[in-house]
Amino acid sequence: GAGVSQTPSNKVTEKGKYVELRCDPISGHTALYWYRQSLGQGPEFLIYFQGTGAADDSGLPNDRFFAVRPEGSVSTLKIQRTERGDSAVYLCASSAGPNYGYTFGSGTRLTVV
Amino acid sequence: DQQVKQNSPSLSVQEGRISILNCDYTNSMFDYFLWYKKYPAEGPTFLISISSIKDKNEDGRFTVFLNKSAKHLSLHIVPSQPGDSAVYFCATISNFGNEKLTFGTGTRLTIIP
């Protein structure tokens, strides 16, 4: 597609449940990023993929969070045993590489009740 | 530890006047700065950037100024238009090679017709 697509756009889940958030980057973009934006804050880095591998996962808050990109295109962010504090907008971005800039998706708004 | 700070959470400006958004950073090793604009329910979109080898970069109605000694940058929008109403984030690249962005908390700009 023309842009970065994220699904679902909204997700409400109960505390303790497992969720998966999907990101479909711009075709051909090798770099993919996940960010999390909590209310009143700027986006915070979670993880960066270069191709299929996670080149930097230093932003993942704890081991309940995991992300994959098995074929170097679509990525899935997985959150186990969700907590109310996980409620945020999860943003995905892709890039053709250094110096090419990011394109962000519209995000998935996750609400844990 | 907020490395990039936007101390004004909101700003209202009359249409046609100049909007000035400010950003401070703490790490003198940062050497590339960006401004992003975000509308509700959309991802951030890139607006303008500046490298530390410059003190000014202009693109149409948008100008970014960088004061390295003060660790301060600002975005000027002139003349301001109603469509400029959005949340503006400054960001810096904290690790060249993976282009991981560190964002400020954002300033909500409202242009009054």
Side-chain angles (χ1 to χ4, degrees):
Chain A
V4 177
S5 175
Q6 290 189 247
T7 54
S9 55
N10 280 285
K11 175 72 177 177
V12 180
T13 191
E14 291 182 348
K15 179 176 178 294
K17 299 285 190 182
Y18 167 82
V19 296
E20 290 189 351
L21 312 179
R22 177 187 166 108
C23 173
D24 208 330
I26 291 173
S27 178
H29 278 192
T30 55
L32 185 144
Y33 303 80
W34 284 98
Y35 283 78
R36 176 169 75 171
Q37 185 179 8
S38 301
L39 196 63
Q41 301 296 316
E44 295 177 307
F45 171 80
L46 295 176
I47 187 169
Y48 155 65
F49 288 90
Q50 182 60 249
T52 60
D56 183 348
D57 64 358
S58 61
L60 295 177
N62 52 60
D63 62 6
R64 295 186 298 105
F65 288 75
F66 189 70
V68 295
R69 195 185 185 200
E71 297 177 358
S73 178
V74 171
S75 176
T76 305
L77 178 66
K78 308 180 181 196
I79 311 174
Q80 298 178 319
R81 303 183 305 279
T82 51
E83 299 177 357
R84 293 197 177 89
D86 299 335
S87 297
V89 175
Y90 289 81
L91 293 162
C92 176
S94 70
S95 168
N99 303 318
Y100 285 89
Y102 282 33
T103 300
F104 279 91
S106 297
T108 294
R109 180 175 296 278
L110 175 67
T111 304
V112 182
V113 297
Chain B
D1 179 27
Q2 193 74 30
Q3 297 188 72
V4 181
K5 300 178 185 179
Q6 294 177 257
N7 292 318
S8 297
S10 63
L11 175 68
S12 294
V13 174
Q14 204 77 34
E15 181 179 359
R17 300 288 184 107
I18 184 170
S19 296
I20 301 176
L21 298 108
N22 294 302
C23 179
D24 298 294
Y25 60 96
T26 57
N27 189 339
S28 57
M29 297 300 289
F30 292 148
D31 61 1
Y32 197 75
F33 304 88
L34 308 92
W35 284 94
Y36 280 81
K37 175 179 179 179
K38 186 179 185 303
Y39 293 119
E42 295 184 12
T45 55
F46 171 75
L47 199 54
I48 192 169
S49 64
I50 189 167
S51 164
S52 61
I53 63 173
K54 296 186 174 183
D55 54 18
K56 176 182 174 181
N57 187 26
E58 191 171 351
D59 183 2
R61 296 186 298 114
F62 302 92
T63 303
V64 56
F65 295 92
L66 176 62
N67 182 335
K68 283 192 296 180
S69 61
K71 298 195 187 77
H72 178 83
L73 67 155
S74 61
L75 174 67
H76 293 209
I77 306 172
V78 56
S80 300
Q81 299 174 353
D84 297 330
S85 295
V87 178
Y88 289 78
F89 293 98
C90 67
T92 181
I93 292 177
S94 55
N95 185 351
F96 269 113
N98 69 12
E99 297 202 349
K100 177 170 67 177
L101 291 172
T102 300
F103 285 87
T105 52
T107 296
R108 180 177 301 279
L109 175 65
T110 302
I111 305 302
I112 304 163

